[in-house]
Structure formats: C-alpha cells, structure tokens
Amino acid sequence: MEKQTEKLLREISEWDGEFKGAYNIRENGQCAGRVSSKNIKITNKEGKPGLEIHIAPGTVGETVSIPACVTHGGVDDLVYNDFYVGENADVTIVAGCGIHTETGEPARHNGIHRFILGKNSKVKYLEKHIGTGHGTGLKSIDPVTEAELGENSVLEMDTAQIGGVDKTIRNTKARLEAGAKLLIRERILTEKEQTANTEFEVELNGKDSGVDLISRSVARDNSRQGYHSVIIGNAPCTGHSECDAIISENGKVDAAPELHAHDNDAALIHEAAIGKIAGEQILKLRTLGMTEQEAEATIIDGFLS
Amino acid sequence: MLKLENISWSAPGGFGVLNGLDLEIPDGKLVVITGPNGGGKTTLAKIIAGIYKQDSGKILLNNEDITDKDITERAKMGISFAFQQPVRFKGITVKRLIELASGNRMNDGELCDILSKVGLCAREYINREVDSTLSGGEIKRIEIATVLARQTQITIFDEPEAGIDLWSFSSLIKVFSEMRRNLKGTLIIISHQERILNIADEIAVVADGRIKAKGAADEMMKTLMNSNEISNVCSKQEVML
Ligand SMILES: Nc1ncnc2c1ncn2[C@@H]1O[C@H](COP(=O)(O)OP(=O)(O)O)[C@@H](O)[C@H]1O
Ligand SMILES: [Mg+2]
C-alpha cells in the first residue's frame, strides 16, 4: 500500500495502521487489502468492478470499513458495492473516499453503493470525502447511494465533505417499508471554484415510515452548491427535511426542496435557510475576544460539526 | 475606572438615542443602570463594548483613551458584555461556547461550577447546542455563564432577569451578591428589578439618552421609590416575574 493511501486512510476512516473488523481497501481501482469476519463476508462482485458485502442476520456491534483512495491523477475509478444486511443486525459501515493529485490530470472516484436492509436491522453509515494535493487536475467524487429499507429497519447516514473536492454530484435514493426510519446528516463545504450538487429522493411506502434529512452547507469564494430533495409520502408517514446554508464571498447556493404527499396521513415538513453568517453571531464572539476572522471560522466550524 | 464623556449616538434613521451622556463608573463597585424602556440603556452598554460607535464623545478605561478601540480590542482589555437578547449558534455546544469565553479548555467540574451559578445542571447542558432548541430562559442563563467565565475587569449584564424564572433569579441574585463581595473588577447591571437595585453600590438612571440621576444606592432608592415613573416600571416588572 502506498504511503499516500495511508495518509488518506487516516483522514477518512478510523485506520491507525490497521482496521478493527472486516475491511476492504481500494487503492486506485485495485484491492490493497481485504479481511472478512465470521459474520461479515466481503467478496468480488460478478461482472462488474466492486464488492458484495453480506452481513449475517443478528450481527451486532461489528464494523465494516470499505475506504477508497485515489492517489494520483489520470485515474477514473468506478465501483459498485452492494451491502446485504441481515435481519436484526446492528452494524456500522465506514465508507469514505480520499483523492490526491499532484499533477494536472483529473482524478475521479465514482462509488455506487446499494444497501438492502433486512427487517429490524440497524445500520450506521459513515462517509467522509476529502481531496488533497497541489495538482491542478480536477478532483471529483460522485457517489450514488441506493437504499432499500425493510420493515422496521433503521439507516443512519452521516456524510461529510469539507473542502478539497473540485466537483461532486451526490445522488441518494431510498425506499422505505413499514416502520423503517432513515436519518441523513450531510455536511458540505465548498470553496474556490468548487461545485457540489446533492440530490435526494426518498419514497416512504410503508405505514409509519419516516425520514429526517438534515443538510448543512457552506459555500465560500466562487463556489456553488445545489440542493434538491424529493420526499414522497405514499403511506401514513413522517418526513422532515432541513437545508441550512451559509454563503460567503461570492458563494452561491440553489435549494429546491420538494414534498409530495400522496397519502392523506402523510405529514411532511421542509425547512430551509440560506444566508450570510448572522452579524450578531460575529459580534457576540468578538465580545469574547475573537477577531472577525476567528469568529467566522468558529461559526462555520460549529455549523459543520 | 470607566469614564464616558459627552457620548452621543443616533440611530440609523437619525433619531438621537444618546444625547451627550456623561458617566463615571468607579472600580470595584456594583453599579446598576435603570430607567424606562427605550431610554438608551442597551445602546449605552453597546457603546461601552464597542458594538456601536459613538458619533461624538470619548471613552476612557483606566485613564487610557479607548474611543477608537474595536470590539475585539476592548474585549481583550477586559470588557465583557452579556447581551439582553442572546445569540444562538447552530452546532456550537454549551461547553464549547463557555470554553471560547474563558479562553481555556475546561473539565466537567469547572463547567459545573459556572453553570450551577446560573441554575443549570452541567450534566444536562454541556453537550447541548446553543441553538433554537434552548428556551429563552435557558439561553439567557448560558449567556450570563459565558460572561462569568471570562472574569474581566468590567462586566456588563443587560437585563439579566429577563426570561428567568423566580427560582433561578434568586440564585442569580446570590451570584451577583457574591461577585460584589469578592469584587476585583466592576459590575454594571442594567435592570428594572428592585432586588438587583437593592444590592447596588451606585444607581444611575438613564432616560432620553442622558444620565437623569446618579448616586449612592441607598439615597437613590428613596427617590426612585417615590418617583412614579420608575416605581411603575419596577412594580410591573416584579409582577411579570
Ligand atoms: N440599531 C438601532 N437601530 C434603530 N434604532 C435603535 C437601534 N438601537 C437602538 N435603537 C433605538 O434607540 C432607543 C433606545 O433603545 P435601547 O438602548 O435599546 O433602550 P433600553 O435598553 O433603555 O430599553 C429605542 O428607541 C430604540 O428603538
Ligand atoms: Mg435594553
């Protein structure tokens, strides 16, 4: 494994020389290490690049890590990873992607993840994306996530991309059966000329299913972000989405939330707020002795935490 | 000593809010500033903290001219200000905000000391975010706690009683009395509360953008309680509490 991969791994995952639990490390489109556990089996996917991850029913408290790293320009990595989570399992999945370039050539990672959650299963999904290096080549990460949530299953997605990635298109789709819950926390910071677009489409198909989608973003310099969420309530269900964005300098944010209530007992709410940092917040922190710049950094840091 | 000389400030529309205000605040005293709503008390506090810049006049701290110092510089020189309407921050926890205020990392015991002074249990609050999930009373107490954590030469509280329930208010009075007893610096409290007026060393009345009256607390209390305008304000506030 390359030194650069190790650096990226430390940033995007819990790697500290090794992983706890099952893992697969993807380095420039190749496998740089894989370990399955008794309950979590990682195998190659047939016919397409990528993995099948089978988590046995009733697996509790285990973690599986599947980081992907691109360490130089000229790589365009496409991968399909399918997760099959057995009934009553309760696990953590750590994904994440780091891209490093020192040249003018573009580097891209496009991870297509599918999650099939069995009845009563619970998954915590952590995904951190970073871009590093001084290369001028365009660094892009385009994740596609599709999730099928079986009855009473819970998927908690925590995703973060705090700068460094030039171009991102994120696409997340989920379908929920009765009693299933989806919680999404997304944080994105763009700066310079970066762009990030995020799309969510959630279908609440079962009785008492629910989604809570919270997106926080900061667009600085000349960067631009787009947010589009679609929540469709086809059953008695609850849906809540919240898009909060801070813009600074010439940053631009376009937010378009959509709610579709197709059942009389669908209760859907959207909240959105876009604007500069509130002047009062800066004043308060300055009265604690911070400079204006320190105050802004503190506010953004907290907002994206 | 803090000294304001002939301070004037007009609101953006041109309306004169402070009109040639003079005020001397001695060291080591608890000074309560009172007076009718809209009289210019908050504006005066913001001028001291540097949040508003006076149109004319001079401000001296320990005989040093700080008229042109900005908010950050004044904060570093030892001026603290607890807002009448506290500011909320998404994603910043109570612990983090108090640490930012004190300038140090703090352990649970230290956080507990400070939060218990404002009637909050540290265990329940340190990991909460200072956002809209906190009630008006809770955010107000946390605001006061941030200022207590700073321990500066001059501390200004703008209507600390507002939004605080009776029980916590009693404990807050205790905190102020205790601060007064061990006073190293100067405490300025803007208040309508008789119980706060009662623990003052000096009282100043601000109305129409000027100091209408000022003096030793016991003298001032006699006149204040006989003056209709002020005692009405006081008794109303007492009932609201
Ligand atoms: N930023 C501002 N813009 C416009 N008017 C203001 C501003 N700040 C204060 N004022 C006005 O100045 C007057 C005094 O306000 P304030 O100092 O808050 O009074 P107090 O604290 O004594 O109730 C009020 O009429 C208020 O509306
Ligand atoms: Mg006021």
Side-chain angles (χ1 to χ4, degrees):
Chain A
M1 196 159 66
E2 295 177 22
K3 274 272 167 295
Q4 188 55 53
T5 302
E6 296 186 356
K7 265 195 208 161
L8 291 169
L9 285 180
R10 283 184 204 277
E11 293 280 328
I12 61 173
S13 67
E14 310 263 273
W15 191 81
D16 57 357
E18 57 177 7
F19 276 114
K20 284 168 198 76
Y23 69 87
N24 182 88
I25 302 168
R26 190 175 177 86
E27 179 185 66
N28 300 317
Q30 305 294 321
C31 175
R34 176 183 304 170
V35 167
S36 291
S37 71
K38 181 167 155 279
N39 293 321
I40 303 179
K41 298 274 179 266
I42 306 178
T43 54
N44 280 344
K45 205 174 160 66
E46 307 242 330
K48 277 182 185 171
L51 307 169
E52 275 191 17
I53 295 111
H54 286 267
I55 298 167
T59 305
V60 172
E62 289 194 37
T63 297
V64 52
S65 305
I66 51 140
C69 299
V70 173
T71 61
H72 54 80
V75 174
D76 187 355
D77 185 23
L78 171 68
V79 62
Y80 297 85
N81 294 329
D82 293 348
F83 295 85
Y84 297 91
V85 183
E87 292 183 7
N88 299 307
D90 183 349
V91 295
T92 302
I93 298 171
V94 185
C97 173
I99 293 200
H100 180 88
T101 58
E102 292 293 350
T103 63
E105 283 182 291
R108 176 169 182 248
H109 176 80
N110 183 1
I112 298 168
H113 289 174
R114 281 203 317 145
F115 296 89
I116 317 287
L117 271 70
K119 280 186 194 167
N120 299 314
S121 65
K122 220 176 144 193
V123 171
K124 187 164 190 174
Y125 174 75
L126 306 173
E127 179 201 276
K128 205 162 156 190
H129 286 171
I130 59 158
T132 61
H134 300 96
T136 51
L138 197 74
K139 292 188 275 279
S140 43
I141 302 183
D142 299 322
V144 175
T145 306
E146 282 176 35
E148 308 270 348
L149 280 75
E151 275 179 36
N152 296 316
S153 62
V154 178
L155 174 59
E156 205 180 318
M157 297 179 68
D158 200 322
T159 68
Q161 178 176 310
I162 313 296
V165 180
D166 297 307
K167 187 168 165 288
T168 281
I169 300 172
R170 306 178 57 85
N171 207 313
T172 306
K173 283 200 173 100
R175 284 197 289 269
L176 281 70
E177 290 179 24
K181 301 280 181 249
L182 173 64
L183 309 158
I184 302 179
R185 270 183 79 231
E186 177 183 80
R187 283 146 296 156
I188 301 180
L189 176 128
T190 51
E191 50 197 357
K192 298 173 196 142
E193 305 293 325
Q194 298 163 0
T195 63
N197 281 289
T198 183
E199 298 261 346
F200 293 97
E201 191 182 308
V202 180
E203 276 181 45
L204 300 161
N205 295 329
K207 188 171 180 297
D208 297 329
S209 55
V211 60
D212 193 12
L213 165 47
I214 296 173
S215 160
R216 295 234 176 125
S217 60
V218 175
R220 328 180 66 144
D221 305 326
N222 286 313
S223 68
R224 183 159 194 155
Q225 294 190 26
Y227 169 94
H228 181 205
S229 64
V230 178
I231 296 178
I232 305 164
N234 290 324
C237 60
T238 55
H240 171 246
S241 69
E242 192 180 315
C243 163
D244 251 321
I246 293 178
I247 45 173
S248 68
E249 293 93 25
N250 293 311
K252 293 182 179 60
V253 171
D254 306 292
E258 282 182 39
L259 300 177
H260 302 269
H262 294 169
D263 185 284
N264 211 5
D265 287 312
L268 309 178
I269 301 174
H270 178 75
E271 298 171 78
I274 305 177
K276 286 192 297 198
I277 292 177
E280 284 272 295
Q281 293 183 325
I282 293 176
L283 290 177
K284 170 65 192 173
L285 295 185
R286 291 186 67 198
T287 65
L288 301 180
M290 281 182 217
T291 63
E292 193 168 337
Q293 290 73 21
E294 287 165 346
E296 278 187 24
T298 302
I299 292 161
I300 287 178
D301 208 49
F303 183 72
L304 293 175
S305 68
Chain B
M1 184 171 68
L2 181 70
K3 199 169 170 192
L4 287 89
E5 292 177 6
N6 202 18
I7 298 287
S8 293
W9 185 81
S10 297
F15 166 72
V17 176
L18 298 183
N19 306 301
L21 179 143
D22 290 304
L23 180 63
E24 250 187 62
I25 297 192
D27 289 335
K29 292 272 156 68
L30 193 169
V31 178
V32 174
I33 296 175
T34 191
N37 288 324
K41 301 180 299 297
T42 295
T43 303
L44 168 62
K46 287 185 174 175
I47 293 270
I48 297 172
I51 294 171
Y52 288 172
K53 191 161 171 30
Q54 65 290 332
D55 302 327
S56 60
K58 227 167 139 179
I59 307 172
L60 303 169
L61 177 64
N62 308 328
N63 293 319
E64 184 183 345
D65 189 338
I66 62 162
T67 312
D68 295 322
K69 302 274 187 223
D70 68 16
I71 308 172
T72 310
E73 289 169 313
R74 291 190 201 187
K76 286 186 171 151
M77 294 177 86
I79 296 177
S80 294
F81 175 43
F83 288 31
Q84 181 170 2
Q85 266 140 6
V87 186
R88 296 168 193 267
F89 297 89
K90 282 188 178 158
I92 296 186
T93 59
V94 170
K95 175 182 163 90
R96 173 110 175 98
L97 191 63
I98 293 177
E99 285 182 340
L100 289 169
S102 77
N104 296 310
R105 301 212 134 246
M106 291 170 94
N107 62 35
D108 288 359
E110 293 165 316
L111 286 162
C112 183
D113 280 349
I114 288 183
L115 287 168
S116 64
K117 286 186 183 169
V118 292
L120 296 177
C121 166
R123 215 172 338 112
E124 283 171 32
Y125 285 93
I126 49 178
N127 293 320
R128 296 238 350 231
E129 290 182 19
V130 189
D131 61 12
S132 54
T133 61
L134 292 172
S135 75
E138 288 169 328
I139 188 106
K140 187 78 182 179
R141 293 186 229 187
I142 287 158
E143 175 73 7
I144 293 167
T146 62
V147 163
L148 294 179
R150 274 173 54 77
Q151 305 201 336
T152 48
Q153 186 195 338
I154 295 195
T155 309
I156 310 164
F157 295 92
D158 195 354
E159 300 203 22
E161 67 266 27
I164 290 196
D165 61 84
L166 198 52
W167 186 84
S168 304
F169 184 62
S170 298
S171 78
L172 201 60
I173 297 277
K174 261 192 235 138
V175 171
F176 289 139
S177 312
E178 195 188 306
M179 281 176 87
R180 184 193 166 199
R181 245 180 284 122
N182 310 314
L183 213 55
K184 291 187 208 88
T186 303
L187 222 50
I188 304 171
I189 307 178
I190 296 171
S191 177
H192 301 293
Q193 265 296 325
E194 200 176 325
R195 288 169 70 189
I196 290 183
L197 291 163
N198 278 332
I199 59 169
D201 295 303
E202 290 190 11
I203 294 172
V205 180
V206 172
D208 304 323
R210 284 197 190 84
I211 302 293
K212 275 284 140 84
K214 181 175 179 275
D218 39 1
E219 295 294 311
M220 289 293 293
M221 282 306 275
K222 283 180 215 147
T223 32
L224 278 180
M225 289 301 133
N226 294 328
S227 130
N228 264 335
E229 191 189 358
I230 303 294
S231 59
N232 277 346
V233 171
C234 291
S235 58
K236 263 189 217 142
Q237 297 280 332
E238 197 82 24
V239 171
M240 272 167 61
L241 202 83

